[in-house]
Amino acid sequence: MGPRHRFDPELAAALPLIPEVELLDLDAARASQAAQVAAAVAAADTSGVDVGEIHVPGPAGAPGVRLRLYRPHGARGPLPAVYAIHGGGFMLGSPEVDHDWNLLLCRRLGALVASVDYRLAPEHPFPAPLEDCYAGLRGLVERAGELGVAPERIALWGDSAGAGLAAGLALLARDRGGPAVCFQHLCSPALDDRLSTPSARRFTDTPVWNRRNAAISWDAYLGHGVRGTADVSPYAAPARAGVMALAGLPPAYVSVMEFDPLRDEGIDYARALLAAGVSAELHLIPGTFHGAWAVEHAAVIRRATAEAVEVLRGALGGSGPVEPVGPVRG
Protein backbone atom coordinates (compact mmCIF):
# COMPACT_ATOMS: atom_id res chain seq x y z
CA MET A 1 0.00 0.00 0.00
CA GLY A 2 2.66 2.48 1.04
CA PRO A 3 4.93 2.28 -2.02
CA ARG A 4 2.01 2.61 -4.43
CA HIS A 5 0.71 5.87 -2.99
CA ARG A 6 2.80 8.90 -2.09
CA PHE A 7 1.17 9.69 1.23
CA ASP A 8 2.23 12.69 3.23
CA PRO A 9 4.94 11.40 5.63
CA GLU A 10 3.05 12.43 8.77
CA LEU A 11 -0.07 10.69 7.51
CA ALA A 12 1.83 7.58 6.49
CA ALA A 13 3.34 7.33 9.98
CA ALA A 14 -0.14 7.40 11.50
CA LEU A 15 -1.68 4.77 9.23
CA PRO A 16 -1.10 1.81 11.59
CA LEU A 17 -3.26 3.57 14.19
CA ILE A 18 -6.23 4.17 11.88
CA PRO A 19 -8.82 1.37 11.89
CA GLU A 20 -10.08 0.07 8.58
CA VAL A 21 -13.79 0.41 7.81
CA GLU A 22 -15.32 -3.06 7.42
CA LEU A 23 -18.85 -2.80 6.07
CA LEU A 24 -19.41 -6.49 5.44
CA ASP A 25 -20.00 -7.04 9.18
CA LEU A 26 -22.17 -4.01 9.73
CA ASP A 27 -23.28 -4.83 13.28
CA ALA A 28 -19.67 -5.17 14.41
CA ALA A 29 -18.66 -1.99 12.61
CA ARG A 30 -21.48 -0.03 14.23
CA ALA A 31 -20.70 -1.39 17.68
CA SER A 32 -17.00 -0.63 17.34
CA GLN A 33 -17.65 2.89 16.14
CA ALA A 34 -20.19 3.54 18.88
CA ALA A 35 -17.67 2.54 21.55
CA GLN A 36 -14.96 4.76 20.06
CA VAL A 37 -17.34 7.70 19.74
CA ALA A 38 -18.66 7.34 23.28
CA ALA A 39 -15.10 7.46 24.63
CA ALA A 40 -14.23 10.48 22.50
CA VAL A 41 -17.36 12.38 23.53
CA ALA A 42 -16.70 11.64 27.21
CA ALA A 43 -13.15 12.97 26.88
CA ALA A 44 -14.04 16.09 24.87
CA ASP A 45 -13.60 19.58 26.27
CA THR A 46 -16.91 21.36 25.84
CA SER A 47 -15.89 24.57 27.60
CA GLY A 48 -17.46 27.63 26.05
CA VAL A 49 -20.11 25.59 24.23
CA ASP A 50 -23.61 24.64 25.32
CA VAL A 51 -24.38 21.19 23.90
CA GLY A 52 -27.97 20.00 23.73
CA GLU A 53 -30.51 18.58 21.35
CA ILE A 54 -33.98 19.13 20.01
CA HIS A 55 -36.40 16.94 18.10
CA VAL A 56 -38.26 18.29 15.09
CA PRO A 57 -41.02 16.68 13.01
CA GLY A 58 -39.78 14.07 10.57
CA PRO A 59 -40.92 13.34 7.02
CA ALA A 60 -44.58 12.42 6.56
CA GLY A 61 -45.28 9.10 8.25
CA ALA A 62 -41.75 8.84 9.68
CA PRO A 63 -40.30 9.41 13.17
CA GLY A 64 -39.13 12.79 14.40
CA VAL A 65 -35.58 13.90 13.66
CA ARG A 66 -33.00 14.64 16.34
CA LEU A 67 -30.72 17.65 15.96
CA ARG A 68 -27.66 17.84 18.20
CA LEU A 69 -27.00 21.51 18.89
CA TYR A 70 -23.76 23.31 19.70
CA ARG A 71 -24.16 26.93 20.76
CA PRO A 72 -21.49 29.40 21.91
CA HIS A 73 -22.05 29.92 25.61
CA GLY A 74 -23.64 33.27 26.30
CA ALA A 75 -23.93 34.20 22.62
CA ARG A 76 -26.83 36.40 21.64
CA GLY A 77 -28.68 35.77 18.44
CA PRO A 78 -29.45 35.84 15.73
CA LEU A 79 -26.46 33.62 15.02
CA PRO A 80 -25.31 32.12 11.74
CA ALA A 81 -25.72 28.35 11.64
CA VAL A 82 -23.90 25.37 10.20
CA TYR A 83 -26.21 22.47 9.36
CA ALA A 84 -23.90 19.48 9.66
CA ILE A 85 -24.40 16.04 8.07
CA HIS A 86 -22.09 13.26 9.26
CA GLY A 87 -20.43 10.67 7.05
CA GLY A 88 -20.29 6.89 7.33
CA GLY A 89 -21.06 5.46 3.91
CA PHE A 90 -24.81 6.00 4.47
CA MET A 91 -24.56 3.00 6.85
CA LEU A 92 -22.62 4.19 9.91
CA GLY A 93 -22.40 7.17 12.18
CA SER A 94 -24.35 9.65 14.25
CA PRO A 95 -24.03 13.36 15.03
CA GLU A 96 -21.65 12.42 17.84
CA VAL A 97 -19.09 11.13 15.31
CA ASP A 98 -18.22 14.76 14.53
CA HIS A 99 -18.39 15.98 18.15
CA ASP A 100 -14.90 17.53 18.24
CA TRP A 101 -15.34 19.08 14.81
CA ASN A 102 -18.71 20.56 15.72
CA LEU A 103 -17.25 22.01 18.91
CA LEU A 104 -14.41 23.53 16.89
CA LEU A 105 -16.78 25.11 14.36
CA CYS A 106 -19.02 26.47 17.10
CA ARG A 107 -16.09 28.07 18.94
CA ARG A 108 -14.19 29.31 15.91
CA LEU A 109 -17.15 30.70 13.99
CA GLY A 110 -19.33 31.89 16.85
CA ALA A 111 -22.11 29.97 15.13
CA LEU A 112 -24.78 27.51 16.14
CA VAL A 113 -23.99 24.06 14.76
CA ALA A 114 -26.94 21.71 14.22
CA SER A 115 -25.92 18.14 13.45
CA VAL A 116 -28.70 15.95 12.07
CA ASP A 117 -29.32 12.34 13.14
CA TYR A 118 -30.67 10.79 9.95
CA ARG A 119 -31.80 7.17 9.51
CA LEU A 120 -29.19 4.80 8.09
CA ALA A 121 -29.10 2.34 5.21
CA PRO A 122 -29.62 -0.49 4.42
CA GLU A 123 -32.55 -0.54 6.87
CA HIS A 124 -33.59 2.89 5.59
CA PRO A 125 -32.48 3.35 1.97
CA PHE A 126 -32.92 6.44 -0.20
CA PRO A 127 -34.90 8.63 0.08
CA ALA A 128 -35.28 8.20 3.87
CA PRO A 129 -31.85 9.61 4.92
CA LEU A 130 -32.18 12.61 2.60
CA GLU A 131 -35.78 13.26 3.65
CA ASP A 132 -34.64 13.21 7.30
CA CYS A 133 -31.97 15.78 6.45
CA TYR A 134 -34.57 17.94 4.72
CA ALA A 135 -36.98 17.65 7.66
CA GLY A 136 -34.20 18.60 10.07
CA LEU A 137 -33.28 21.67 8.03
CA ARG A 138 -36.92 22.68 7.81
CA GLY A 139 -37.31 22.21 11.56
CA LEU A 140 -34.22 24.32 12.26
CA VAL A 141 -35.58 27.17 10.15
CA GLU A 142 -39.07 26.92 11.66
CA ARG A 143 -37.56 27.26 15.13
CA ALA A 144 -34.99 29.88 14.12
CA GLY A 145 -36.53 32.59 16.28
CA GLU A 146 -36.63 30.40 19.36
CA LEU A 147 -33.08 29.15 18.75
CA GLY A 148 -31.65 32.57 17.93
CA VAL A 149 -30.64 31.59 14.39
CA ALA A 150 -30.48 33.90 11.38
CA PRO A 151 -32.37 31.82 8.78
CA GLU A 152 -30.71 33.61 5.87
CA ARG A 153 -27.25 32.60 7.16
CA ILE A 154 -27.41 28.80 7.22
CA ALA A 155 -24.62 26.85 5.51
CA LEU A 156 -24.61 23.12 4.80
CA TRP A 157 -21.56 21.11 5.79
CA GLY A 158 -21.04 17.42 5.11
CA ASP A 159 -18.29 14.83 5.06
CA SER A 160 -18.14 11.85 2.66
CA ALA A 161 -21.65 10.34 2.43
CA GLY A 162 -22.76 13.33 4.51
CA ALA A 163 -21.37 15.63 1.83
CA GLY A 164 -23.31 13.68 -0.78
CA LEU A 165 -26.42 14.16 1.32
CA ALA A 166 -25.60 17.87 1.66
CA ALA A 167 -25.31 18.22 -2.11
CA GLY A 168 -28.58 16.33 -2.57
CA LEU A 169 -30.20 18.50 0.10
CA ALA A 170 -29.11 21.68 -1.69
CA LEU A 171 -30.85 20.40 -4.83
CA LEU A 172 -33.96 19.28 -2.95
CA ALA A 173 -34.34 22.51 -0.97
CA ARG A 174 -33.99 24.58 -4.14
CA ASP A 175 -36.55 22.49 -6.01
CA ARG A 176 -39.05 22.55 -3.13
CA GLY A 177 -38.77 26.31 -2.78
CA GLY A 178 -36.83 26.28 0.47
CA PRO A 179 -35.56 26.41 3.09
CA ALA A 180 -32.88 28.55 1.50
CA VAL A 181 -29.25 27.86 2.35
CA CYS A 182 -26.42 30.29 1.73
CA PHE A 183 -23.56 27.84 1.10
CA GLN A 184 -22.65 24.18 0.69
CA HIS A 185 -19.33 22.89 2.07
CA LEU A 186 -18.65 19.44 0.64
CA CYS A 187 -15.75 17.49 2.15
CA SER A 188 -14.71 14.32 0.22
CA PRO A 189 -18.24 14.03 -1.17
CA ALA A 190 -19.82 10.74 -2.27
CA LEU A 191 -21.74 11.87 -5.35
CA ASP A 192 -21.61 9.18 -8.04
CA ASP A 193 -22.95 5.64 -7.75
CA ARG A 194 -21.51 4.64 -11.12
CA LEU A 195 -17.94 4.39 -9.74
CA SER A 196 -16.61 5.01 -13.24
CA THR A 197 -14.14 7.85 -12.63
CA PRO A 198 -10.40 7.14 -12.86
CA SER A 199 -9.98 7.44 -9.08
CA ALA A 200 -12.93 5.13 -8.39
CA ARG A 201 -11.45 2.51 -10.71
CA ARG A 202 -7.88 2.88 -9.48
CA PHE A 203 -8.09 3.10 -5.70
CA THR A 204 -8.99 -0.44 -4.68
CA ASP A 205 -6.47 -0.67 -1.81
CA THR A 206 -6.48 2.76 -0.21
CA PRO A 207 -6.84 3.18 3.57
CA VAL A 208 -10.23 3.68 5.22
CA TRP A 209 -12.18 3.87 1.95
CA ASN A 210 -11.75 1.96 -1.28
CA ARG A 211 -13.74 0.89 -4.31
CA ARG A 212 -15.24 -2.14 -2.55
CA ASN A 213 -16.54 -0.06 0.36
CA ALA A 214 -17.94 2.51 -2.06
CA ALA A 215 -19.85 -0.20 -3.92
CA ILE A 216 -21.21 -1.68 -0.67
CA SER A 217 -22.35 1.72 0.56
CA TRP A 218 -24.14 2.64 -2.67
CA ASP A 219 -25.86 -0.76 -2.78
CA ALA A 220 -27.07 -0.19 0.78
CA TYR A 221 -28.29 3.34 0.03
CA LEU A 222 -29.96 2.65 -3.32
CA GLY A 223 -30.94 -1.01 -2.91
CA HIS A 224 -29.23 -3.96 -4.55
CA GLY A 225 -29.26 -3.94 -8.32
CA VAL A 226 -29.93 -0.21 -8.64
CA ARG A 227 -26.38 1.17 -8.59
CA GLY A 228 -25.17 2.14 -12.05
CA THR A 229 -28.58 1.84 -13.70
CA ALA A 230 -30.62 4.59 -15.32
CA ASP A 231 -33.04 4.64 -12.39
CA VAL A 232 -30.86 6.58 -9.92
CA SER A 233 -32.18 9.97 -8.84
CA PRO A 234 -29.84 12.97 -8.90
CA TYR A 235 -31.08 13.69 -5.38
CA ALA A 236 -29.41 10.41 -4.38
CA ALA A 237 -26.32 10.78 -6.57
CA PRO A 238 -25.92 14.48 -7.43
CA ALA A 239 -23.29 13.67 -10.08
CA ARG A 240 -26.28 12.46 -12.12
CA ALA A 241 -27.65 16.00 -12.35
CA GLY A 242 -26.95 17.69 -15.65
CA VAL A 243 -25.28 21.08 -15.76
CA MET A 244 -28.59 22.82 -16.41
CA ALA A 245 -30.06 21.19 -13.30
CA LEU A 246 -27.31 22.68 -11.13
CA ALA A 247 -28.09 26.30 -11.95
CA GLY A 248 -29.30 28.37 -9.05
CA LEU A 249 -27.64 26.32 -6.32
CA PRO A 250 -25.84 28.06 -3.44
CA PRO A 251 -22.09 28.64 -3.75
CA ALA A 252 -19.91 25.66 -2.92
CA TYR A 253 -16.53 24.68 -1.54
CA VAL A 254 -15.39 21.17 -2.44
CA SER A 255 -12.36 19.52 -0.86
CA VAL A 256 -11.03 16.15 -2.00
CA MET A 257 -8.24 13.83 -0.87
CA GLU A 258 -5.55 12.86 -3.37
CA PHE A 259 -5.65 9.09 -2.83
CA ASP A 260 -9.39 8.55 -2.46
CA PRO A 261 -11.77 6.75 -4.82
CA LEU A 262 -14.15 9.70 -4.35
CA ARG A 263 -11.57 12.24 -5.52
CA ASP A 264 -12.56 12.63 -9.16
CA GLU A 265 -16.33 12.77 -8.63
CA GLY A 266 -15.75 15.72 -6.30
CA ILE A 267 -13.55 17.43 -8.89
CA ASP A 268 -16.09 16.74 -11.63
CA TYR A 269 -18.93 18.12 -9.50
CA ALA A 270 -17.06 21.35 -8.80
CA ARG A 271 -16.43 21.75 -12.54
CA ALA A 272 -20.11 21.07 -13.28
CA LEU A 273 -21.18 23.68 -10.74
CA LEU A 274 -18.89 26.21 -12.37
CA ALA A 275 -20.28 25.33 -15.80
CA ALA A 276 -23.76 25.97 -14.39
CA GLY A 277 -22.75 29.42 -13.22
CA VAL A 278 -22.51 28.47 -9.55
CA SER A 279 -19.56 29.91 -7.65
CA ALA A 280 -17.39 26.98 -6.57
CA GLU A 281 -13.97 26.61 -4.98
CA LEU A 282 -12.05 23.35 -5.22
CA HIS A 283 -9.16 22.17 -3.06
CA LEU A 284 -7.31 18.90 -3.63
CA ILE A 285 -5.41 18.16 -0.43
CA PRO A 286 -2.11 16.52 -1.40
CA GLY A 287 -0.75 13.28 0.03
CA THR A 288 -4.03 12.45 1.77
CA PHE A 289 -6.44 9.54 1.90
CA HIS A 290 -10.14 9.38 2.79
CA GLY A 291 -10.57 10.13 6.48
CA ALA A 292 -7.11 11.66 6.85
CA TRP A 293 -8.78 14.39 8.93
CA ALA A 294 -8.36 12.00 11.87
CA VAL A 295 -4.60 12.71 11.87
CA GLU A 296 -5.18 16.08 13.45
CA HIS A 297 -1.53 16.86 14.22
CA ALA A 298 -0.34 16.54 10.60
CA ALA A 299 0.64 19.87 9.07
CA VAL A 300 -1.32 19.24 5.87
CA ILE A 301 -4.48 18.57 7.91
CA ARG A 302 -3.96 21.59 10.13
CA ARG A 303 -3.65 23.74 7.02
CA ALA A 304 -6.76 22.21 5.45
CA THR A 305 -8.70 22.67 8.69
CA ALA A 306 -7.75 26.33 8.92
CA GLU A 307 -8.89 26.86 5.34
CA ALA A 308 -12.18 25.01 5.88
CA VAL A 309 -12.98 27.19 8.88
CA GLU A 310 -12.11 30.40 7.05
CA VAL A 311 -14.23 29.39 4.06
CA LEU A 312 -17.23 28.85 6.32
CA ARG A 313 -16.55 32.11 8.14
CA GLY A 314 -16.66 34.00 4.86
CA ALA A 315 -19.75 32.16 3.67
CA LEU A 316 -21.62 32.98 6.87
CA GLY A 317 -20.66 36.61 6.58
CA GLY A 318 -19.21 36.71 10.07
CA SER A 319 -15.97 37.52 11.75
CA GLY A 320 -16.32 35.14 14.68
CA PRO A 321 -13.58 34.50 17.21
CA VAL A 322 -10.23 33.52 15.78
CA GLU A 323 -8.47 30.74 17.67
CA PRO A 324 -5.37 28.68 16.97
CA VAL A 325 -5.94 25.58 14.86
CA GLY A 326 -7.11 22.84 17.20
CA PRO A 327 -8.14 19.22 16.86
CA VAL A 328 -10.40 18.13 14.05
CA ARG A 329 -12.63 15.09 13.74
CA GLY A 330 -11.04 12.06 15.32
Side-chain angles (χ1 to χ4, degrees), residues 26-27 30 90-91 119-125 128 220:
L26 186 54
D27 288 341
R30 286 174 173 171
F90 307 109
M91 304 167 74
R119 288 170 291 172
L120 300 175
E123 297 91 339
H124 304 284

Side-chain angles (χ1 to χ4, degrees), residues 139-237:
L140 176 65
V141 171
E142 287 174 352
R143 297 179 65 171
E146 161 194 347
L147 296 171
V149 167
E152 74 282 2
R153 297 170 67 197
I154 298 176
L156 306 180
W157 177 88
D159 175 38
S160 191
L165 286 164
L169 179 57
L171 285 164
L172 194 64
R174 180 203 62 189
D175 293 347
R176 290 181 176 174
V181 295
C182 69
F183 195 74
Q184 48 181 328
H185 191 297
L186 312 177
C187 174
S188 304
L191 300 163
D192 196 342
D193 64 290
R194 294 165 292 193
L195 304 182
S196 59
T197 66
S199 64
R201 293 182 182 278
R202 175 183 176 191
F203 295 134
T204 60
D205 64 343
T206 39
V208 180
W209 205 244
N210 51 47
R211 181 181 177 86
R212 184 192 71 166
N213 277 347
I216 292 170
S217 71
W218 280 113
D219 284 341
Y221 187 44
L222 300 175
H224 284 283
V226 179
R227 172 172 58 88
T229 71
D231 299 326
V232 177
S233 166
Y235 297 125

